[in-house]
Amino acid sequence: MNKVDLQRRSVLRRLGGVAALSALAGSGVWVGGFRSSALAAPASTATAGSFDVGLRLRAHPDEVSILPGAPSDVWRYTAERIVGPEDTLTPVGESYAGPLIRLRRGQRVHVRIDNELPEDTTVHWHGLHVPSDVDGQPRLPIAPATSTTVAFDVVDRAGLYWYHPHPHGPDGGRVGFQSYAGLAGPLIINDAAERALGLPDGERELVLILQDRTFSNGNELQYIGGGGMGAMMTRMRGFRGEQVLVNGHPDARREVSTQPYRLRLLNGSNSRIYKLAWSDGRMVTVIGTDGGLLAKPEQRRSVTLAPAQRIDLWVDFGDTEPGESVQLVSEEYQLGMMGGGDMMDRGMMGQGMMGDRMDGMMDRGMMRDMMGSERLPLVTFAVVARANDAGTLPERLAQDLPASPVQADTPVRRFELSMRMMQGFTINGRQMEGATVADDEMVRLGETEIWEFVNNTMMPHPMHVHGLQFQIHERVGGRTDLHDGIIDAGLHDTVLVFPEERVRIALTFKDFEGFYMYHCHNMEHEDAGMMRYYKVVA
Ligand code: C2O
Ligand code: CU
Ligand code: CU
């Protein structure tokens, strides 16, 4: 496959200028003008004291040791706490991952974002209910060597969210490239209701970011490069790395004691779907999803985690002896409904997706690779100590989950996911066209709708909606190896829609007017234009 280094030379060349400029940008007063009109305080009178949390977040190139041997060039977030509780920022391993930002419901947060990269970027608060102008949308890019400030109130439920870049210019998106280069970090919201449950915390609460990466012999990150058939196929499937890194490290291992743990997983991969399971066959116990805790725990043989999704797991190593270890793995799976190669021959080629010329050039191995995944070890939990205070899993978890907002007359808005020859994936026949919305992409403030995603393609699409958490209402059709591991209970901001499947979600557009986005969170699909704005109007 034709891949390319992480623009090392051009990055370094352009950095000379950027570094000097960013020193200038950094000399201003850190509380700048606000973008958010929803905030009461006028920019001129606001001070750091008006906020419970004040952060400075830098996006910048760096060198980080990932594999043994030479360090790797990355792009990363680093943050500094200006005001706020001491536990607001915690490093995630010693790697490129952005720091864990820990917020409390009810806080007012102010973030100054410095772009020290050689290209435009934004910072999107994935999953958070924030005003349109602080959502990090591509229509508000932060130019190299400039800063912006955003401020918002923390109104979401306790849960694991995350932040990542969202740039998309006239030539396409750079989300895949920039997050692959290392720009992504976790964000946890805590609240009193969750604390009252007494779930494992401190050393027994682990945030685990799953990302797959490919390295050159010199340890440089490699991403899709150039034109060519291989690159084209990779863009269509989405980029997949040769190895999985957890919190930026290969061969992840954690030492644990014979006690319950809370594992908070984020799939920060560009396109890879994981089928999470325990190596000793124990059931996977799920306590939460994208938007926080479930009403009660759910158990599965395996759990499906698509890009951008989070899952909250509870595991008790109390039945394991010191000296033993248990692995969290991603099991092998096939997505082809008719079995790999067959499906490609009859389905994909039959539809003439890439034209006749392609036929002879693709072998079945490549097809199988597109439609499934081999088994991958993720994290080894080595039980090293015995502990007594076991603690049990509450039978009831969240009591603040909203009831279904769906009524007999709730309107249904339909989104057909299709493939346009040589162009890529579309939503209702459209692709990203900047901050423009069609008539059928306007929704009313305060209203509830059902959105129905119909997948007419042979690929799964993790569909994400900005600015809110939704409920998954119904799933029809599409049976795959991954369906048993689907958790539809609770609140979500990203839902996986399988080939030949129709999924209905229920959303309510509250509090904020303006532009938001909806898109496939396979980052290569999104960057190729499988993304649109929608607009909330009063
Ligand atoms: Cu995680 Cu539109 O983003
Ligand atoms: Cu988002
Ligand atoms: Cu997609």
Side-chain angles (χ1 to χ4, degrees):
M1 222 179 268
N2 182 12
K3 293 173 194 158
V4 82
D5 279 332
L6 188 65
Q7 293 196 329
R8 181 170 195 196
R9 254 157 268 111
S10 62
V11 167
L12 292 180
R13 185 168 7 93
R14 285 143 91 188
L15 261 186
V18 171
L21 284 168
S22 68
L24 280 179
S27 66
V29 190
W30 78 272
V31 176
F34 300 104
R35 275 202 174 148
S36 167
S37 51
L39 286 162
S44 53
T45 61
T47 63
S50 321
F51 295 93
D52 304 298
V53 172
L55 302 175
R56 180 183 172 205
L57 186 65
R58 298 168 54 219
H60 62 99
D62 204 356
E63 263 193 1
V64 162
S65 185
I66 302 174
L67 303 179
S72 307
D73 284 314
V74 299
W75 287 358
R76 70 186 304 193
Y77 292 119
T78 45
E80 189 188 330
R81 176 175 55 98
I82 313 290
V83 262
E86 242 172 74
D87 66 354
T88 304
L89 294 176
T90 325
V92 175
E94 283 167 33
S95 191
Y96 59 78
L100 169 63
I101 301 177
R102 195 179 280 272
L103 301 176
R104 288 169 180 74
R105 201 171 180 178
Q107 281 175 331
R108 302 191 77 206
V109 179
H110 181 283
V111 187
R112 168 179 151 167
I113 303 161
D114 293 344
N115 180 7
E116 296 167 27
L117 305 170
E119 63 182 47
D120 284 2
T121 194
T122 76
V123 176
H124 169 54
W125 311 98
H126 181 119
L128 294 193
H129 182 52
V130 294
S132 166
D133 284 1
V134 306
D135 189 43
Q137 298 165 10
R139 69 193 169 84
L140 297 171
I142 310 168
T146 67
S147 306
T148 194
T149 60
V150 294
F152 57 88
D153 295 318
V154 181
V155 297
D156 286 285
R157 299 176 74 222
L160 172 61
Y161 304 85
W162 63 303
Y163 56 100
H164 65 77
H166 220 304
H168 194 109
D171 300 331
R174 292 286 281 170
V175 178
F177 181 89
Q178 291 191 5
S179 19
Y180 186 79
L183 293 167
L187 186 154
I188 282 182
I189 296 177
N190 290 125
D191 68 12
E194 186 191 53
R195 201 166 318 119
L197 290 169
L199 295 167
D201 63 1
E203 301 211 315
R204 294 191 293 125
E205 180 191 28
L206 306 177
V207 173
L208 302 169
I209 306 169
L210 308 179
Q211 292 169 318
D212 52 346
R213 296 290 186 264
T214 297
F215 295 88
S216 70
N217 291 334
N219 286 353
E220 290 306 335
L221 283 165
Q222 299 202 297
Y223 190 58
I224 311 165
M229 199 57 73
M232 181 188 144
M233 293 305 295
T234 304
R235 281 202 186 84
M236 201 180 70
R237 182 192 67 184
F239 182 86
R240 289 227 208 126
E242 284 164 4
Q243 59 179 303
V244 178
L245 305 181
V246 178
N247 296 354
H249 291 282
D251 306 318
R253 185 173 179 276
R254 295 288 181 280
E255 295 190 342
V256 295
S257 54
T258 56
Q259 280 176 298
Y261 282 75
R262 182 177 186 185
L263 310 182
R264 314 193 66 172
L265 279 81
L266 157 65
N267 182 352
S269 310
N270 286 40
S271 84
R272 188 180 286 279
I273 301 168
Y274 298 91
K275 185 181 180 187
L276 305 170
W278 290 107
S279 58
D280 62 358
R282 74 177 68 196
M283 298 294 273
V284 184
T285 302
V286 179
I287 60 172
T289 52
D290 297 340
L293 291 174
L294 298 171
K296 54 177 177 40
E298 295 212 18
Q299 294 211 313
R300 294 284 195 282
R301 272 269 314 115
S302 66
V303 168
T304 301
L305 195 66
Q309 290 184 321
R310 286 85 67 206
I311 202 89
D312 207 337
L313 304 181
W314 188 90
V315 58
D316 187 358
F317 297 112
D319 47 16
T320 316
E321 290 297 310
E324 292 178 359
S325 65
V326 186
Q327 259 188 342
L328 183 68
V329 302
S330 179
E331 282 183 344
E332 183 190 341
Y333 63 84
Q334 285 297 321
L335 276 185
M337 288 156 299
M338 303 174 263
D342 213 37
M343 167 159 175
M344 294 305 296
D345 293 341
R346 291 193 283 142
M348 189 162 133
M349 295 309 168
Q351 286 161 24
M353 185 171 61
M354 286 166 301
D356 299 335
R357 279 180 53 231
M358 284 290 300
D359 258 345
M361 305 178 74
M362 312 226 337
D363 61 43
R364 276 163 183 265
M366 195 168 183
M367 299 284 89
R368 211 165 304 122
D369 183 43
M370 281 187 74
M371 303 307 294
S373 173
E374 73 275 41
R375 184 179 192 275
L376 301 161
L378 300 176
V379 189
T380 302
F381 294 91
V383 183
V384 295
R386 198 176 293 284
N388 298 326
D389 98 25
T392 51
L393 177 61
E395 268 167 48
R396 293 186 57 205
L397 297 165
Q399 284 158 47
D400 62 341
L401 273 170
S404 169
V406 174
Q407 318 256 294
D409 60 351
T410 303
V412 179
R413 207 179 279 268
R414 190 162 217 229
F415 298 94
E416 303 264 351
L417 313 178
S418 308
M419 171 88 200
R420 197 189 285 158
M421 198 186 298
M422 301 309 286
Q423 228 180 330
F425 297 105
T426 60
I427 307 175
N428 282 346
R430 305 183 185 109
Q431 290 188 325
M432 178 77 174
E433 299 170 272
T436 59
V437 291
D439 287 349
D440 57 8
E441 292 173 311
M442 303 228 250
V443 301
R444 288 240 163 250
L445 184 65
E447 291 208 337
T448 294
E449 296 190 354
I450 291 172
W451 282 17
E452 180 177 71
F453 295 112
V454 183
N455 188 349
N456 305 316
T457 78
M458 28 57 71
M459 290 218 46
H461 300 287
M463 298 304 295
H464 169 50
V465 184
H466 279 214
L468 47 79
Q469 294 288 323
F470 53 75
Q471 296 183 21
I472 299 169
H473 196 242
E474 189 181 79
R475 218 177 248 286
V476 179
R479 295 304 302 176
T480 70
D481 277 9
L482 291 176
H483 267 86
D484 291 342
I486 292 285
I487 305 284
D488 278 341
L491 293 181
H492 304 257
D493 54 55
T494 306
V495 62
L496 190 53
V497 186
F498 289 98
E500 297 188 359
E501 191 175 45
R502 191 158 60 75
V503 177
R504 288 184 163 201
I505 63 173
L507 335 79
T508 305
F509 308 98
K510 280 187 295 205
D511 305 323
F512 309 122
E513 290 170 49
F515 285 110
Y516 287 96
M517 318 199 70
Y518 65 106
H519 60 89
C520 177
H521 219 295
N522 175 320
M523 293 182 196
E524 283 70 39
H525 291 183
E526 151 182 11
D527 281 347
M530 194 180 188
M531 174 161 71
R532 297 283 303 175
Y533 279 95
Y534 72 96
K535 193 172 184 186
V536 183
V537 295

